[in-house]
Every structure is written in structure tokens, then in C-alpha cells.
Amino acid sequence: MDWAPSCTLAALAARAELLATVRGFFQARGVMEVQTGIIGAATVTEPAVESIAVPGLGYLQTSPEYQMKRLLAAGAPSIYQLGPVFRAGEAGRRHNPEFTMLEWYRLGFDDRQLMDEVAALVAAALGPAPVDRVTYADVVARAPADVEVQATGGLSARELLDLRFANGLDTLPPGRWFITDYPADQAALARRRPHDPGVAARFELVVDGLEIANGYHELTDSREQRARFERDQAARRAAGQPEHATDERLLAAIESGLPDCSGVALGFDRLLMLKLGAKSLREVMPFPIDIA
Amino acid sequence: MASYSTNEFKPGIKVLLEGEPCAILENEFVKPGKGQAFNRVRFRNLKSGRVWERTIKSGESLEAADVLDLDMEYLYEDGEFWHFMKTDGSYEQLAAPASALAEARQWLKEQGVYQVTLWNDAPIAVSPPNFLDLEVVETDPGIRGDTAQGGTKPAKLSSGAVVKVPLFIEQGDVLRVDTRSGEYVSRAKSD
């Protein structure tokens, strides 16, 4: 029987140390640690993220975002959370259906200020190094022109763009890269730029080819948020995916007043991979899904 | 027909890709920007031996290939087919076409045991054992007493392969060769 952990005890010790580094980083900055539910009655509507249902209760959360925003609407200060999140059907060298997310929200920050803080956290974890910036469009333009893919019925324009984005990312030189200026249809829960509504105030951080963080200058307009949820639902219906009820509690919280803030989710296990030079999540988590 | 979805892909699984039987070598799940997920997959085409790389939209399926590897004893060739016999005691014989033999053709030895890959019960590939003992049927005369000196010469083996051998090797010697690299290993111990 495969009972033994897939990672070494040294990797577990490094994990404990990195958890302490992260907690120290936020303590020094006066950001409060919170714990929200691992189970939520509602879940994300984004078509490319699939949740794991808990019969009778709701869903294992794919990110603590919705409940953390309800805390912010209730008057919480800047907050962070370190905890497990779950995504169905994601398994591979860089994916596991359960992983540890570091998610934090900063009141009064825009996406640029939050990017600076993300860079500082990564420097605290991995040591200092320069961080470059590249736009989403530039990443897509780097992809080889002849993209061949096997897909029944072909790819939609959006899916093709996703693929070109993936292929473009692979061409980035090693190092730390912020990807900025996502097209508005990729905004998810980010606001659009007031003077450039085709662009979302969203960023991602890629380190040595590994995507580790995704951040937004958060959308605080409940009507636009509802419209986006409905658009997601329509896309899910069209693709024959399970539909998830819109999270009315989140929308009510945003409507009652989500303060101006930026938030980011960072894959803690991938950060640990980078710290240890690991090639696979198996080297940094004890029980990946196939031996869970 | 059985099939494998991308989330079941792992090394060793045999599938049909563009009508050809392939073994999965590597499977990488990619999903940047919380967008559509894809699998980047490396396959070995079991007929040609070539490596194919493909990007497949996650959630797609590939048909399973009915592929089986068997140890079989080489019997003879009839000018068109190469005949092998099962080693399971059934004495069942199969005839492999030249396309299945490919590189293995120069490493055939009667009564040698080869791995024969069957697809839908038909042989599509033959692999020799990594090491084979074969007799030298043709080479320049040996230079005795000069075993320390470097230098090589070509020697033709009973299977048809030509390998580089040390100068002291004589016609009639039985040599151990590495079929993967085509290199001389040693003189085989005489019986």
C-alpha cells in the first residue's frame, strides 16, 4: 500500500517555515488573519473553474473570496487567510484538487499597490529579484502562430485565446513576471479600468513559468457583478456544465457596501515548489490526490 | 469501445491518435489565467516509434488502443513475412510484415526471444532483447597478441548487422552486442 507521504520530511519542515514567514509578513504589516468556511452554500460561477459539491450543504470553496468579501463589507480591516481550497478535475504536476491558498485583501489599495506587496511577499519567501511586467496582449502575441489542438467541434475564440495565452506564457524567460491588462471578459471579480473599460484591473504573477498569484482591484458594483454571474451561468448552460446558484449573500454584501480594496490569491504550494526548486507538487505536499 | 478521458491520461496508457496506436509518455495539465484547461501530451507512435506532441482540450477523450506486448520466439522468414511463435506453450505462430521489423531486422537470431507488439492481434512492432550473442561471419583477419592496442574494424554478424569490433576479433567468434546502440560489448563466453 502507498501509505507513505510523497514529499520528504525536509519539505514539510520547509513548508512550516514558509507558513511562519507568511504569517510574520502580514503581522508586520498589520493585516489580520481570518478563517472562513471551507464549505459555502454557494460557489463560483466561472465556467473554467469546477467546484466539488458537498451534498446537502453546498460546495467546498474554490477560494475563500466570497466569504472574505462579506467580512470586508461587514467592516473588517485588511485581512488574509491561509487554508485549503478545492477544484474538481485539476490534477497534474502543478495541480491538485486540494491545495493551500494564501488570499489577502487590502483596503484602499489599487491593483498596482497590491502588485508591489505581492512582489514584496515573494521576495520575503524566495529572496529578492527584479520583477518585470508584460501585458496579456503581449503574452498572447508571443505564442507561436500555428497552434494545433485536438478539440471536438474546435475551439471558441475565447478558448483559442486561452490556449495562445498558455503557449505565450511558456515563451517568457525565467524570472518574475506580472501579467497585466487582462481583457474585460477575463475580469471575473475585478473592476474595469474607468478610462479603458475594455481592460480589467486584474494581474497575475508568473515565476519561472509557474503561475502563482491572481489579483484584482475588486469590483464593488453589485449590479455589474450580478450581470457577470448571469453571463457565466449562460455560458455554463450553453456548455452543458452544472449551473450554480448565484451567491445572493455575496451580492447583498457588495450592495451594502464593499469598501474600495484589492485582493489576491496566491498558490502557497507552488510558492513552496519555487522555494525548493521542486518540479512537482508531489515534492511539497505529503498526500497528493492519488495517494490521499 | 473503451476510451480514456484526458483526466485519466497517464504514462503507459495506449490510445488511438489519428488512427495510429500510441502510448502516452507524458501528460501535462495546463490551465493558465483560470481559463480553459488543456492537456499537453507526448505520445510514442507504436508503429513508427516516433514521438508525437499534441495539445488536447481537457475533457476530450481518446479511444483505447487494443495493444499487447508478447514475448515470442523467432522462427524463420519466408521472403515476405517473419514468423514468430508464442512462448506460452501454445506453439501459436504469427507472421510479422517488414514494417513491423524495421530496425530489428538486423538483429534476428533463430530461437531468440523478441518482444512483439500486437495491435488488434496483428504484429506492428518487434523489439530485440537489449543484449544478443551473435557470431562473426565476416571480418578482416585478427591481429593476435595485440589486444591492448586501440583501434577497431567492422565485423559482419550472423544476423546481418555490422558492428565495430576490436582488432583481435576473428571470424567465428561469438560476440555480445548491445542492440540499442549497435555496439560491441565483449566476446561471449563459449559453451
Side-chain angles (χ1 to χ4, degrees):
Chain A
M1 266 332 255
D2 269 344
W3 62 270
S6 66
C7 74
T8 62
L9 294 177
L12 284 185
R15 171 178 285 266
E17 194 184 314
L18 188 57
L19 285 167
T21 300
V22 167
R23 290 198 160 102
F25 178 89
F26 287 112
Q27 189 170 31
R29 288 169 181 246
V31 181
M32 182 173 87
E33 181 166 8
V34 296
Q35 291 182 313
T36 57
I38 288 170
I39 296 174
T43 190
V44 290
T45 51
E46 284 170 62
V49 180
E50 212 44 87
S51 308
I52 298 170
V54 183
L57 292 175
Y59 304 89
L60 297 175
Q61 296 295 279
T62 62
S63 124
E65 177 158 14
Y66 292 5
Q67 291 191 2
M68 287 180 82
K69 283 182 171 169
R70 285 162 64 187
L71 291 180
L72 295 172
S78 291
I79 50 178
Y80 79 95
Q81 178 154 210
L82 262 169
V85 295
F86 304 83
R87 296 186 184 179
E90 300 190 8
R93 203 162 58 80
R94 298 180 295 199
H95 294 82
N96 193 63
E98 173 180 354
F99 59 101
T100 301
M101 189 76 100
L102 166 62
E103 183 143 338
W104 77 97
Y105 291 86
R106 287 296 235 147
L107 299 184
F109 274 35
D110 66 14
D111 48 317
R112 308 277 155 175
Q113 290 168 291
L114 187 58
M115 284 160 75
D116 290 342
E117 189 162 74
V118 170
L121 177 107
V122 170
L126 306 180
V131 185
D132 288 307
R133 294 184 182 201
V134 60
T135 66
Y136 183 95
D138 285 341
V139 172
V140 168
R142 296 176 69 97
D146 52 337
V147 176
E148 236 187 278
V149 65
Q150 179 155 337
T152 309
L155 294 181
S156 69
R158 179 68 253 166
E159 290 166 343
L160 185 62
L161 212 48
D162 287 339
L163 178 61
R164 294 180 60 85
F165 182 65
N167 291 340
L169 280 183
D170 282 350
T171 70
L172 284 181
R176 301 176 190 177
W177 294 87
F178 277 119
I179 321 295
T180 63
D181 296 4
Y182 281 70
D185 78 316
Q186 297 298 289
L189 286 86
R191 66 181 62 188
R192 292 181 288 156
R193 293 215 184 286
H195 304 295
D196 194 355
V199 173
R202 172 183 173 189
F203 65 88
E204 285 193 289
L205 177 64
V206 172
V207 179
D208 296 341
L210 198 57
E211 283 179 284
I212 63 165
N214 179 43
Y216 308 133
H217 191 179
E218 302 293 346
L219 181 64
T220 52
D221 176 341
S222 66
R223 283 213 319 239
E224 180 165 350
Q225 189 62 69
R226 180 181 293 279
R228 289 189 196 174
F229 284 162
E230 283 166 3
R231 204 159 51 230
D232 286 346
Q233 302 286 22
R236 283 182 161 270
R237 218 169 332 188
Q241 291 176 277
E243 280 182 63
H244 304 311
T246 295
D247 189 345
E248 293 296 342
R249 292 192 177 106
L250 172 67
L251 287 174
I254 295 175
E255 193 171 355
S256 86
L258 179 65
D260 180 37
C261 64
S262 287
V264 61
L266 186 149
F268 179 84
D269 313 270
R270 288 187 179 177
L271 187 65
L272 186 55
M273 277 175 72
L274 291 165
K275 186 166 178 64
L276 299 181
K279 295 265 180 289
S280 161
L281 284 171
R282 309 183 68 78
E283 297 169 50
V284 301
M285 53 172 60
F287 302 115
I289 195 67
D290 60 307
I291 60 165
Chain B
M1 190 68 192
S3 65
Y4 292 106
S5 162
T6 52
N7 60 27
E8 299 170 297
F9 283 7
K10 57 183 176 190
I13 280 183
K14 315 261 192 345
V15 291
L16 285 180
L17 185 65
E18 292 158 34
E20 300 274 292
C22 293
I24 290 177
L25 298 175
E26 269 178 56
N27 171 42
E28 175 116 304
F29 178 81
V30 292
K31 186 182 179 162
K34 292 208 285 176
Q36 171 63 47
F38 295 92
N39 290 60
R40 291 195 183 124
V41 191
R42 293 177 74 233
F43 300 89
R44 181 181 303 287
N45 182 318
L46 295 172
K47 280 167 77 178
S48 67
R50 289 206 184 87
V51 173
W52 283 359
E53 294 187 20
R54 294 287 184 278
T55 299
I56 301 177
K57 183 179 167 182
S58 296
E60 297 274 308
S61 293
L62 291 178
E63 207 176 291
D66 181 12
V67 169
L68 186 66
D69 290 326
L70 278 185
D71 282 338
M72 298 187 80
E73 186 180 314
Y74 172 61
L75 300 175
Y76 65 96
E77 69 159 302
D78 63 13
E80 189 179 4
F81 289 100
W82 283 257
H83 297 263
F84 292 84
M85 184 175 72
K86 287 189 181 173
T87 54
D88 57 4
S90 68
Y91 301 104
E92 196 183 322
Q93 293 184 23
L94 285 170
S99 62
L101 271 290
E103 291 292 299
R105 242 170 113 161
Q106 58 172 337
W107 300 115
L108 289 176
K109 177 181 166 183
E110 282 174 26
Q111 291 167 8
V113 174
Y114 295 76
Q115 184 180 281
V116 179
T117 302
L118 305 181
W119 175 38
N120 296 335
D121 300 323
I124 55 167
V126 174
S127 315
N130 292 341
F131 296 99
L132 264 180
D133 292 348
L134 294 163
E135 188 186 335
V136 176
V137 294
E138 205 180 304
T139 191
D140 290 338
I143 306 172
R144 289 215 176 268
D146 206 8
T147 55
Q149 191 184 314
T152 58
K153 60 180 180 178
K156 188 173 181 189
L157 306 177
S158 54
S159 64
V162 175
V163 297
K164 282 185 183 158
V165 299
L167 298 176
F168 59 81
I169 295 295
E170 308 247 29
Q171 194 171 312
D173 283 350
V174 176
L175 309 184
R176 171 149 295 192
V177 288
D178 186 329
T179 61
R180 295 163 295 185
S181 59
E183 280 171 3
Y184 162 88
V185 178
S186 65
R187 269 192 288 201
K189 290 193 184 81
S190 49
D191 298 329

